[in-house]
Amino acid sequence: VVMAATRSVMRAVRVFEFGGPEVLKLQSDVLVPVPKENQVLIKVHACGVNPVETYIRSGTYARKPALPYTPGSDVAGVIESVGEHVTAFKKGDRVFTLETLSGGYAEYAVAAANRVFPLADKLDFRQGAALGVPYFTAYRALFQKGCAKAGESVLVHGASGGVGLAACQIARACGLKVLGTAGTEEGMNVILRNGAHQAFNHRDPNYTERIKACTGPGGVDIIIEMLSNVNLDTDLQLLSCAGRVMVVGCRGRIEINPRDTMSKESSIIGVSLFLATEEERHECATAVLDGIEAGWLKPVVGLEYPLEKVAKAHEDIIHSSGARGKMVLLL
């Protein structure tokens, strides 16, 4: 009689119903997933926490996963095993992912091999977990959708978070004049250390006047906007002729005057990494891996949480005052 091999179990966060952070349940008896063809199994060392994961969990986001599910897409870790036809990776390789199939808030995660990338030795796993969504999103917003060019100016609104710092580093390396906003002194210092030429405190009532004084009558060419439901109306006043606001984040509605776009022929452009084509993802990956090799791309890790504190992480990413880098879960 051939006995079926008993599959091992792992700790993983499961969501059985949509709702607040309390619906994130840490379970210790979840089956370790098995990679199918063109997939890899990763032993997770760190997993990034993104604002979008809180929207999905609450059930308010356009894309709803089937319940129950494990959240998380940006993991960094070591290849545990590979499925059929996978030649790019082998057991023991250090990697990071752009997304996972089984969910990243877990000790092991399965990912499609074409969403997995080698993690350079010069970066640790915490930094690896800060690469995928933030850097690919920042690159997409700046170049694939924003058509940024060397010599142009960019304002990164909410620049001290994961995507914001990625945008500052990439824009600076590519020859743009980089302005950033943050809500704390510490946040402003982090921005200035990571590519911004100037930093502004968006809690200062006159901060937009200071930005205008800095850019002169021409205005700013591109705005990377993390909180468009608060800032979009003001953003339109700050733009140059043919300027564009890249909507990366939004938590509600806002009233604007469309005439503001007519007077400068400016654009409001939505950015979604989920809609990137295979070619666009490949372009993002190439830019990111080149930046790591060149040494200017260095993810800044912010708050770190053990898997047991995942609910607190989800609370803090929305409510804490002033981000300083990418939030990660450590396993």
Side-chain angles (χ1 to χ4, degrees):
V1 180
V2 180
M3 298 293 289
T6 54
R7 274 176 64 191
S8 46
V9 294
M10 63 174 181
R11 294 187 311 143
V13 174
R14 303 290 282 159
V15 175
F16 293 91
E17 58 179 326
F18 296 112
E22 70 283 351
V23 302
L24 298 161
K25 305 289 186 200
L26 180 57
Q27 301 197 304
S28 53
D29 58 353
V30 179
L31 285 176
V32 173
V34 176
K36 300 189 174 78
E37 60 178 336
N38 301 314
Q39 295 176 358
V40 298
L41 178 68
I42 299 163
K43 184 175 189 350
V44 178
H45 286 256
C47 180
V49 180
N50 297 292
V52 69
E53 287 147 24
T54 70
Y55 311 150
I56 294 170
R57 181 216 69 227
S58 68
T60 58
Y61 197 63
R63 300 181 334 147
K64 280 196 187 65
L67 295 166
Y69 78 99
T70 295
S73 57
D74 299 334
V75 308
V78 174
I79 297 281
E80 180 72 19
S81 62
V82 301
E84 279 187 280
H85 313 310
V86 175
T87 54
F89 300 103
K90 62 184 185 310
K91 183 176 166 66
D93 287 350
R94 286 163 44 95
V95 293
F96 72 94
T97 68
L98 181 58
E99 57 189 65
T100 69
L101 295 163
S102 59
Y105 296 7
E107 290 177 326
Y108 292 90
V110 160
N114 65 355
R115 300 287 192 282
V116 177
F117 308 95
L119 179 62
D121 286 338
K122 61 173 85 169
L123 300 184
D124 62 31
F125 291 120
R126 292 153 48 250
Q127 291 174 304
L131 284 168
V133 170
Y135 281 87
F136 282 55
T137 300
Y139 184 88
R140 182 168 179 77
L142 282 163
F143 298 105
Q144 293 177 342
K145 295 293 163 191
C147 305
K149 292 181 180 64
E152 286 192 314
S153 57
V154 59
L155 169 65
V156 184
H157 227 151
S160 60
V163 178
L165 287 169
C168 288
Q169 290 179 2
I170 294 170
R172 179 66 180 255
C174 294
L176 282 91
K177 180 180 182 185
V178 186
L179 314 176
T181 74
T184 64
E185 197 63 40
E186 196 181 348
M188 289 165 68
N189 290 332
V190 170
I191 295 171
L192 291 169
R193 286 199 302 271
N194 285 280
H197 291 88
Q198 279 184 280
F200 304 86
N201 189 329
H202 55 66
R203 295 181 203 279
D204 169 359
N206 301 320
Y207 86 96
T208 53
E209 296 311 312
R210 293 186 175 171
I211 292 172
K212 284 177 182 166
C214 177
T215 59
V220 67
D221 298 307
I222 302 170
I223 297 177
I224 307 289
E225 184 52 73
M226 311 303 167
L227 199 59
S228 43
N229 54 299
V230 172
N231 300 320
L232 188 58
D233 188 46
T234 322
D235 288 344
L236 295 175
Q237 328 292 322
L238 294 172
L239 284 178
S240 64
C241 269
R244 46 265 186 223
V245 180
M246 313 309 301
V247 177
V248 171
C250 182
R251 295 181 189 169
R253 303 175 74 84
I254 185 172
E255 191 171 304
I256 62 164
N257 184 349
R259 190 173 288 280
D260 292 336
T261 63
M262 296 160 63
S263 58
K264 296 174 180 171
E265 291 196 328
S266 54
S267 316
I268 301 165
I269 303 168
V271 179
S272 172
L273 189 54
F274 298 121
L275 298 177
T277 63
E278 198 61 55
E279 290 73 25
E280 286 171 333
R281 270 194 303 270
H282 179 71
E283 183 193 334
C284 290
T286 305
V288 167
L289 294 172
D290 282 357
I292 294 168
E293 199 178 328
W296 57 258
L297 195 159
K298 287 198 182 80
V300 178
V301 177
L303 295 169
E304 303 172 9
Y305 299 80
L307 207 50
E308 295 76 19
K309 296 272 170 64
V310 63
K312 180 89 174 84
H314 267 226
E315 215 162 287
D316 291 352
I317 199 166
I318 298 300
H319 299 296
S320 74
S321 63
R324 300 177 308 283
K326 170 76 174 179
M327 183 182 284
V328 296
L329 297 172
L330 298 180
L331 285 97

